[in-house]
């Protein structure tokens, strides 16, 4: 089966949907999404979207905060562009129907770690769900948008693979996509392909990401020959709920923004030992501080205390967090919440320019799947939804020009060839490899790293990679197998980038090079597959 469209969008979070809503006024859009259209990382974002709205705030302050958090690796031109285009982008979201929480005649702005001002728009503590709701509704009502749910992209289709053309002319023609329910591979042919497939938290044992976050976009782009950058910078969110039934539920940084304090089991507040901003220090510092406190005390978690705030204020401001914790037997208005860090956001990804263009013709990428230069070595809280929305707008403006002279017409793309593959009767291989990757990534490539641990991780990556390749070509493809293949590629990219960086900076901390080295290491870690 073959489907043709002007724009193929892979992913259905804020990035993919806000791009699609604009591009659809200029051509047909196919959105491919792995599960239900609402199942994206955006849907689970609690905190909000940072933008300079208040008259007491300024672009310079937001730029400065972003650059400080990014630990010397942010690209200043990108930071300035994103911050300055932020307010206009917020207007787009509001026009599409997003309802942010208001206070009197204006918006209620909250604070999170690393921000010097209140500048985070939110919808109570379910900001992402509200954005997702509004964008899905608008997309479903657009006549030029077709949404393919339960469809997982397998690989990008490129001229280099099909026609063996020279690498510098490599052009993306669409993607092979598995229709999960129909169990068939569909050929999506497009003039422009946009990756908006989100992050890769599932490569770690503990993550607050939803199951969709298996790094599919980065892995596909890498296999197709696009440049990938800075994958060593995996952000660990300091506070996810430590509870056997809590599934690493996120306790938003906004809880600390509204006054919560991190404590040891004995009640001692410890963040002042680590940073002058105490509990509102940048996220990498808070996550490492918690990791350190847990190692010193031998405890399984630390505690987050907001019991000093009036109970009704907490319930009104954080209704989702309050209710979820209560269902697990924890009343945050009366008791401290047990918390631990968990993988949250990958700051690296497919390298793109300011229009979201990759180095493959007709392939664009926006949102968490990318490395734009905005986050540097550590993302400032609530800058990610902003980045996704700003780049959606810029990629849209660029691609509506690009489709006027496509690098290739809808050529007669060959159907997916499954050769002699048969049904596998050994799914245990998939689940075992999946567990193993996530466990060694957590233990060896987590908050604190070393040369030895990285080398151990790489040996395992190589072994699993060879097993998966064999399995992949011999058995009929399933979504689990596609995700597993992507996860191991992402693991390889994270470890490779981490091995390149012989210093500690932002989210990358190694005991072998504990200091930041601005003389030898102030650069991005690029990686590209030889085709
Ligand atoms: C949070 O609510 O703490 C997450 C915000 C973010 O990661 O930007």
């Amino acid at each position: 089966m073959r489907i043709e469209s002007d724009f193929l969008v892979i992913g259905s979070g804020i990035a993919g949907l806000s791009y699609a809503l604009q591009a659809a006024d200029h051509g047909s859009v196919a959105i491919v999404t792995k599960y239900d259209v609402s199942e994206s990382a955006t849907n689970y974002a609690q905190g909000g979207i940072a933008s300079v709205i208040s008259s007491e705030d300024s672009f310079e302050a937001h730029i400065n905060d972003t650059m400080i958090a990014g630990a010397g690796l942010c690209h200043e031109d990108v930071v300035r562009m994103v911050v300055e285009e932020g307010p206009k982008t917020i207007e787009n979201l509001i026009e599409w129907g997003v309802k942010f929480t208001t206070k009197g005649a204006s918006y209620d702005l909250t604070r999170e770690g690393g921000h010097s001002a209140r500048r985070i728009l939110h919808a109570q503590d379910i900001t992402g769900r509200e954005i997702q709701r509004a964008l899905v509704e608008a997309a479903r009502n657009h006549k030029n948008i077709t949404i393919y749910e339960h469809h997982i992209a397998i690989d990008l289709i490129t001229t280099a693979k099909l026609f063996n053309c020279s690498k510098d002319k490599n052009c993306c023609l669409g993607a092979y996509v598995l229709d999960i329910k129909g169990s068939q591979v569909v050929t999506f042919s497009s003039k422009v392909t946009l990756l908006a497939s989100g992050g890769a938290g599932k490569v770690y044992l503990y993550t607050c990401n939803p199951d969709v976050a298996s790094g599919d976009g980065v892995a596909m782009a890498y296999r197709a020959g696009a440049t990938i950058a800075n994958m060593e910078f995996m952000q660990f969110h300091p506070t996810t709920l430590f509870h056997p039934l809590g599934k690493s539920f996120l306790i938003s940084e906004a809880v600390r923004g509204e006054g919560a304090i991190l404590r040891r089991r004995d009640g001692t507040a410890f963040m002042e030992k680590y940073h002058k901003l105490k509990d509102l220090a940048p996220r990498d510092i808070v996550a490492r501080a918690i990791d350190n406190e847990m190692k010193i005390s031998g405890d399984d978690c630390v505690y987050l205390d907001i019991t000093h705030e009036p109970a009704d204020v907490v319930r009104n401001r954080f209704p989702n967090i309050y209710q979820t914790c209560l269902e697990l037997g924890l009343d945050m208005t009366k008791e401290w919440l047990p918390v631990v860090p968990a993988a949250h956001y990958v700051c690296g990804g497919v390298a793109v320019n300011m229009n979201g263009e990759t180095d493959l013709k007709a392939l664009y990428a926006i949102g968490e799947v990318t490395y734009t230069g905005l986050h540097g070595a550590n993302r400032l809280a609530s800058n990610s939804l902003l980045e996704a929305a700003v780049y959606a707008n810029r990629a849209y403006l660029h691609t509506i020009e690009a489709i006027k002279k496509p690098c290739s017409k809808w050529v007669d793309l060959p159907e997916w060839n499954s050769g002699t593959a048969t049904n596998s009767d050994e799914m245990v291989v998939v689940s075992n490899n999946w567990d193993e990757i996530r466990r060694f990534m957590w233990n060896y490539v987590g908050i604190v790293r070393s040369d030895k641990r990285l080398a151990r991780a790489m040996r395992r990556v190589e072994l699993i990679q060879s097993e998966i390749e064999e399995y992949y070509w011999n058995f009929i493809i399933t979504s689990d197998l596609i995700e597993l293949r992507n996860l191991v590629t992402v693991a390889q990219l994270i470890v490779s980038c981490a091995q390149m960086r012989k210093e500690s900076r932002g989210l990358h901390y190694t005991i072998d090079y504990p200091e930041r080295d601005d003389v030898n290491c102030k650069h991005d870690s690029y990686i590209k597959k030889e085709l």
Side-chain angles (χ1 to χ4, degrees):
M1 184 174 165
R2 181 159 138 202
I3 290 168
E4 288 173 358
S5 63
D6 292 308
F7 308 96
L8 169 63
V9 177
I10 300 176
S12 62
I14 184 173
L17 291 174
S18 49
Y19 170 84
L21 280 167
Q22 300 178 85
D25 290 339
H26 302 264
S28 55
V29 179
I31 300 179
V32 162
T33 186
K34 281 205 292 199
Y35 300 120
D36 181 275
V37 67
S38 291
E39 191 59 12
S40 71
T42 299
N43 197 37
Y44 295 87
Q46 295 179 357
I49 179 162
S51 190
V52 177
I53 304 287
S54 157
S55 56
E56 285 160 31
D57 196 5
S58 69
F59 287 148
E60 289 313 312
H62 191 180
I63 291 166
N64 198 37
D65 293 345
T66 302
M67 305 273 294
I68 291 173
L73 281 197
C74 296
H75 297 200
E76 190 170 352
D77 51 346
V78 172
V79 177
R80 182 165 295 280
M81 177 277 284
V82 172
V83 166
E84 292 182 356
E85 293 186 11
K88 166 81 194 83
T89 308
I90 301 288
E91 275 171 33
N92 285 348
L93 293 175
I94 293 168
E95 267 167 38
W96 285 319
V98 177
K99 293 187 173 45
F100 293 112
T101 299
T102 52
K103 191 175 188 178
S106 54
Y107 287 105
D108 183 41
L109 301 173
T110 190
R111 243 185 113 174
E112 290 180 43
H115 287 275
S116 59
R118 284 190 169 263
R119 67 167 69 96
I120 296 156
L121 286 135
H122 63 99
Q124 291 184 305
D125 60 350
I126 47 165
T127 312
R129 203 184 301 168
E130 170 56 14
I131 292 175
Q132 190 81 26
R133 177 203 64 73
L135 299 188
V136 166
E137 206 173 296
R140 284 208 193 280
N141 287 328
H142 202 298
K143 66 175 181 7
N144 270 355
I145 298 179
T146 311
I147 303 173
Y148 296 87
E149 295 178 293
H150 304 282
H151 279 64
I152 176 171
I154 305 169
D155 262 322
L156 297 169
I157 305 172
T158 61
T159 50
K161 257 189 243 164
L162 284 187
F163 311 122
N164 221 2
C165 75
S166 78
K167 284 169 225 154
D168 55 325
K169 294 216 176 76
N170 197 5
C171 168
C172 183
L173 305 170
Y176 289 118
V177 173
L178 176 68
D179 166 0
I180 299 170
K181 289 191 167 165
S183 299
Q184 60 167 336
V185 177
V186 183
T187 308
F188 279 79
S189 169
S190 56
K191 292 179 189 155
V192 159
T193 301
L194 178 106
L195 293 172
S197 47
K202 291 301 279 187
V203 78
Y204 285 93
L205 188 58
Y206 301 110
T207 176
C208 45
N209 288 177
D211 285 346
V212 286
S214 50
D216 305 338
V218 173
M220 284 191 294
Y222 175 69
R223 286 195 294 270
T227 300
I228 311 296
N230 286 15
M231 291 296 287
E232 70 272 38
F233 297 119
M234 170 58 77
Q235 186 169 70
F236 293 86
H237 196 289
T239 57
T240 64
L241 193 65
F242 180 68
H243 188 285
L245 303 179
K247 278 195 94 191
S248 299
F249 176 68
L250 186 75
I251 307 295
S252 174
E253 200 157 296
V255 179
R256 276 177 287 131
E258 299 300 339
I261 296 166
L262 284 160
R263 298 189 186 281
R264 285 193 213 130
R265 182 187 291 277
D266 67 8
T268 317
F270 56 82
M271 273 313 297
E272 62 192 75
K273 228 169 60 186
Y274 295 93
H275 198 276
K276 61 177 190 308
L277 288 174
K278 299 189 213 167
D279 298 273
L280 283 180
R283 207 169 267 186
D284 56 327
I285 292 166
V286 183
R288 260 198 314 280
I290 294 175
D291 187 66
N292 193 42
E293 290 295 325
M294 283 164 52
K295 280 186 178 133
I296 293 169
S297 66
D299 288 340
D300 290 334
C301 61
V302 295
Y303 295 86
L304 190 65
D305 172 16
I306 196 160
T307 55
H308 46 278
E309 293 295 328
D312 58 333
V313 171
V314 173
R315 279 194 293 265
N316 287 337
R317 175 65 184 83
F318 303 110
N320 176 45
I321 298 174
Y322 171 76
Q323 194 53 39
T324 306
C325 292
L326 201 63
E327 280 161 22
L328 294 168
L330 295 163
D331 182 346
M332 69 192 280
T333 66
K334 299 199 180 102
E335 57 197 312
W336 306 344
L337 297 178
V339 291
V340 286
H344 178 57
Y345 188 94
V346 56
C347 293
V350 186
V352 292
N353 68 12
M354 284 208 221
N355 296 314
E357 270 182 294
T358 71
D359 52 2
L360 245 74
K361 291 186 179 51
L363 179 68
Y364 290 71
I366 55 174
E368 188 176 348
V369 69
T370 62
Y371 177 68
T372 61
L374 174 70
H375 308 310
N378 177 35
R379 178 181 64 96
L380 185 66
S382 287
N383 264 357
S384 45
L385 294 177
L386 177 70
E387 181 193 51
V390 167
Y391 272 84
N393 186 40
R394 292 181 76 89
Y396 142 71
L397 290 171
H398 203 262
T399 51
I400 57 168
E401 292 307 314
I403 59 161
K404 290 179 189 156
K405 20 183 186 22
C407 65
S408 164
K409 287 248 178 309
W410 287 315
V411 285
D412 206 7
L413 299 179
E415 300 273 302
W416 174 259
N417 179 5
S418 54
T420 53
T422 54
N423 268 324
S424 160
D425 54 0
E426 286 203 43
M427 284 317 285
V428 65
V429 177
V430 174
S431 59
N432 189 63
N433 281 336
W434 180 283
D435 284 348
E436 197 180 334
I437 295 168
R438 300 183 68 203
R439 201 166 285 280
F440 73 66
M441 286 301 287
W442 183 259
N443 289 330
Y444 298 157
V445 199
I447 297 173
V448 176
R449 301 162 179 176
S450 73
D451 281 351
K452 240 191 209 156
R453 290 177 196 170
L454 294 177
R456 275 194 196 121
M458 191 50 108
R459 279 200 294 275
R460 279 156 182 81
V461 163
E462 283 163 2
L463 196 71
I464 293 179
Q465 231 160 7
S466 61
E467 250 176 48
I468 293 173
E469 277 310 295
E470 185 194 328
Y471 206 83
Y472 191 82
W473 296 114
N474 288 338
F475 295 107
I476 286 173
I477 203 157
T478 62
S479 56
D480 284 346
L481 193 50
I482 294 168
E483 286 187 344
L484 176 66
R485 179 179 181 233
N486 291 337
L487 271 191
V488 75
T489 302
V490 169
Q492 178 212 331
L493 293 169
I494 296 175
V495 178
S496 301
C497 288
Q499 286 180 320
M500 279 185 231
R501 188 165 291 285
K502 305 290 185 203
E503 62 161 350
S504 290
R505 179 189 295 271
L507 299 162
H508 174 69
Y509 183 83
T510 161
I511 51 178
D512 292 312
Y513 314 95
E515 303 300 328
R516 174 168 152 171
D517 179 356
D518 276 342
V519 178
N520 300 306
C521 298
K522 203 176 171 192
H523 53 71
D524 295 320
S525 322
Y526 289 110
I527 186 161
K528 192 174 167 85
K529 187 178 159 114
E530 276 303 312
L531 293 182

